[in-house]
Amino acid sequence: MNFILLGAPGAGKGTQAKLLSSNLDIPHISTGDMLREEVKKLTALGEKVRVYMAKGELVPDELVLEAIKKRLQEDDCENGFVLDGFPRTLVQAKDLDRLLEGINKRINLVIKLSVSPEVVLSRLSARQICEFCGADYNLETRPPEKEGKCDLCGGELVQRMDDRNEVILNRLEVYEKQTQPLEVYYREQNRLIEIDGGRDKDLVLKEILQIIRKDDRA
Ligand code: AP5
Ligand code: MG
C-alpha cells in the first residue's frame, strides 16, 4: 500500500503518518523532516533550502525530487510507504508517477485531510519541537511534562522556524496556490479521498484505517 497524505500545513499529515507507519509497519517519508535534518546538519543542501523554509515558501522542485528519489528506492519501501508533504506541486506529482512507474509501483490512494484555517493557526501556534531530537509537542493538546523540556531527551523545546503567525499565513497561501491543484489531479484519476482532519487524532486515524481496509484501490 503506497499512499500520500495531502493537506494544508497543520492538517495533521505528520501526526497521522507516524501513527499509520507504526500501525501498518511501513516507512513514513516526510520531505519536511528530511529538509529540516539537512538544515540542522548544516549541509550544502540545508544551506540552500533554509531561506525558503524560513519564509514558508516551497523549496525548488529539483532539490526535493533528488532527495525523494533516492529514499523511495530504499529497501524498506518494498512493502509500501506513506508520503507526508510530498508531492506539493504538479511537477512533483507527475515526476513521482513517472518514477514509480519505472519501478513497477504506483500510488494507491491519496488521503486529503481537510481543516479550517482557524484550526491550523491554533494548532501551529501552540506547537513546540525539541531542538535536539525533533519530538513534537503541542501546548494545547500534548504539553511536555516539564515546561520547555523534552520528555524523551530533556532537550530544549523551541518554536519551529516557520510557525510564526505571518509565516503560517504565507504557508496557507502557498498551499492554496501551488498544492491545491493536486487535489484536482488526483480526483480526476479517482485516487483522492477527503476526510475531516479537524477531529481528534485517534478518530482521524480510525477512519483512515477503515478506508485502507475496505477500499479496493488500497
Ligand atoms: P512540512 O514539514 O511538510 O510542513 P507543512 O506541510 O507546512 O505542515 P506541518 O508539518 O506544520 O503540518 P502537518 O500537516 O504535518 O501537521 P502535524 O501533524 O505536524 O514542510 C515544511 C517546509 O519544508 C515547507 O514550507 C517547504 O519550505 C519545505 N518543503 C517540504 N516538503 C516540500 C516539497 N515537497 N516541495 C517543496 N518544499 C517542501 O500537526 C501540527 C500540529 O497540530 C502539531 O502540534 C500536532 O500535535 C497538532 N495536531 C495534529 N493533529 C491534531 C489533531 N487531530 N487534533 C489536535 N491537534 C493536532
Ligand atoms: Mg508535518
Side-chain angles (χ1 to χ4, degrees), residues 146-185:
K146 201 169 155 210
E147 200 185 312
K149 295 278 177 220
C150 177
D151 295 348
L152 303 176
C153 73
E156 217 47 55
L157 299 186
V158 294
Q159 190 176 45
R160 216 169 90 172
M161 67 176 161
D162 54 354
D163 278 347
R164 283 175 294 122
N165 267 13
E166 65 276 21
V167 183
I168 298 172
L169 293 174
N170 189 40
R171 286 160 66 199
L172 284 169
E173 239 175 76
V174 166
Y175 180 81
E176 208 176 296
K177 286 200 192 117
Q178 297 181 258
T179 308
Q180 208 141 285
L182 293 190
E183 294 175 27
V184 180
Y185 177 74

Side-chain angles (χ1 to χ4, degrees), residues 10 13-15 31 36 57 85 88 92 127 138 171 199:
K13 303 181 296 295
T15 302
T31 41
R36 272 184 293 278
E57 296 292 330
R88 256 175 150 101
Q92 293 180 14
R127 168 163 58 191
N138 192 290
R171 286 160 66 199
R199 296 163 299 163

Side-chain angles (χ1 to χ4, degrees), residues 8-15 31-33 35-36 52-53 56-59 64 84-86 88 92 123-124 127 136-138 141 160 162 171 197 199-201:
K13 303 181 296 295
T15 302
T31 41
D33 288 349
L35 295 169
R36 272 184 293 278
Y52 296 98
M53 296 178 80
E57 296 292 330
L58 293 186
V59 166
V64 181
D84 153 20
F86 179 87
R88 256 175 150 101
Q92 293 180 14
R123 282 183 185 174
L124 296 188
R127 168 163 58 191
D136 188 285
Y137 296 87
N138 192 290
T141 53
R160 216 169 90 172
D162 54 354
R171 286 160 66 199
R199 296 163 299 163
D200 180 84
K201 68 174 175 20

Side-chain angles (χ1 to χ4, degrees), residues 84 94 104 115 125-126 143 145 157 167 171 188 201 214 218:
D84 153 20
K94 290 180 180 170
N104 276 325
V115 285
S125 50
E145 273 167 27
L157 299 186
V167 183
R171 286 160 66 199
E188 280 175 357
K201 68 174 175 20
K214 288 189 187 147

Side-chain angles (χ1 to χ4, degrees), residues 3 44 47 73 76 83 105 111 125 132 139 143 150 156 160 194-195 197 200 202 207 217:
F3 64 102
E47 273 304 298
Q73 295 182 65
D76 64 341
L83 287 173
K105 287 185 183 168
I111 296 169
S125 50
F132 187 70
L139 297 179
C150 177
E156 217 47 55
R160 216 169 90 172
E194 188 164 347
I195 67 173
D200 180 84
D202 295 325
E207 186 173 354
R217 289 167 291 181

Side-chain angles (χ1 to χ4, degrees), residues 6-36:
L6 192 65
K13 303 181 296 295
T15 302
Q16 294 302 324
K18 280 189 197 89
L19 295 168
L20 288 165
S21 167
S22 63
N23 260 273
L24 302 171
D25 198 21
I26 54 176
H28 162 207
I29 302 178
S30 156
T31 41
D33 288 349
M34 286 162 72
L35 295 169
R36 272 184 293 278

